[in-house]
């Protein structure tokens, strides 16, 4: 036996044609259609850890967008992020770590002289670096009983 051809009700047929976009209708805007500067600015409103999380699961954000978003986040807060060290393979991870480190312990005050700098961090700890003239060896407090950190 032959089956009868399937017919649509007129109501369903008109709904199907109404849902189809017109050839003159522009395609919906996509995230990638936005200007890069706008995407970076939007990302900079997020926490660096959130930017890094998105970069970890999305190739779109892993490239320069995540890096620039974290850099802008830091710049807007007055943080200077250090350069990526040799051997650190992931720039996003390094910038995220550096940004969160800056945020968690920002310098509260700083002073500098010709050969030294002194910092009081957000927790009130005093740090100094530099050299003193030979005739004033204790000027910076770099004497006995002081924790010294050797830096490159």
């Amino acid at each position: 036996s032959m089956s009868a051809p399937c017919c649509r009700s007129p109501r369903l047929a008109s709904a199907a044609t109404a849902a189809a976009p017109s050839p003159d209708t522009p395609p919906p805007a996509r995230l990638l259609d936005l200007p890069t500067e706008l995407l970076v600015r939007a990302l900079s409103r997020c926490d660096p850890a959130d930017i890094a999380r998105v970069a970890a699961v999305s190739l779109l954000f892993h490239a320069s967008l995540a890096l620039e978003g974290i850099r802008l986040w830091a710049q807007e807060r007055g943080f200077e992020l250090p350069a990526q060290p040799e051997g650190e393979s992931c720039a996003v991870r390094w910038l995220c770590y550096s940004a969160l480190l800056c945020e968690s312990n920002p310098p509260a005050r700083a002073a500098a002289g010709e050969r030294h700098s002194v910092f009081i961090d957000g927790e009130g700890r005093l740090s100094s670096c530099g050299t003193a003239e030979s005739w004033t060896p204790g000027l910076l407090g770099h004497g006995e009983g002081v924790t010294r950190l050797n830096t490159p």
Side-chain angles (χ1 to χ4, degrees):
S1 89
M2 296 189 66
S3 61
C6 179
C7 298
R8 284 188 181 178
S9 75
R11 194 174 91 197
L12 289 176
S14 67
T17 55
S22 155
D24 299 330
T25 304
R30 298 178 329 199
L31 190 60
L32 286 177
D33 294 335
L34 295 172
T36 302
E37 300 81 28
L38 182 59
L39 290 171
V40 169
R41 180 142 315 270
L43 271 178
S44 75
R45 300 296 181 240
C46 299
D47 183 85
D50 291 334
I51 297 172
R53 284 185 195 104
V54 170
V57 296
S58 170
L59 292 177
L60 164 67
F61 289 103
H62 196 287
S64 63
L65 285 177
L67 294 174
E68 293 308 313
I70 294 172
R71 284 189 181 112
L72 183 58
W73 177 93
Q75 179 186 355
E76 289 173 343
R77 287 157 182 78
F79 300 144
E80 187 174 329
L81 300 179
Q84 182 177 340
E86 196 174 313
E88 173 56 60
S89 61
C90 181
V92 172
R93 179 177 54 217
W94 172 252
L95 282 181
C96 177
Y97 167 77
S98 299
L100 293 174
L101 192 60
C102 286
E103 182 182 42
S104 68
N105 197 21
R109 292 185 171 74
E114 186 175 318
R115 296 185 177 163
H116 71 278
S117 297
V118 180
F119 309 92
I120 301 173
D121 68 18
E123 295 178 11
R125 293 179 298 219
L126 177 68
S127 299
S128 64
C129 58
T131 59
E133 297 292 344
S134 60
W135 63 86
T136 58
L139 180 67
L140 293 176
H142 292 172
E144 291 182 32
V146 174
T147 303
R148 294 194 91 149
L149 302 174
N150 293 323
T151 57

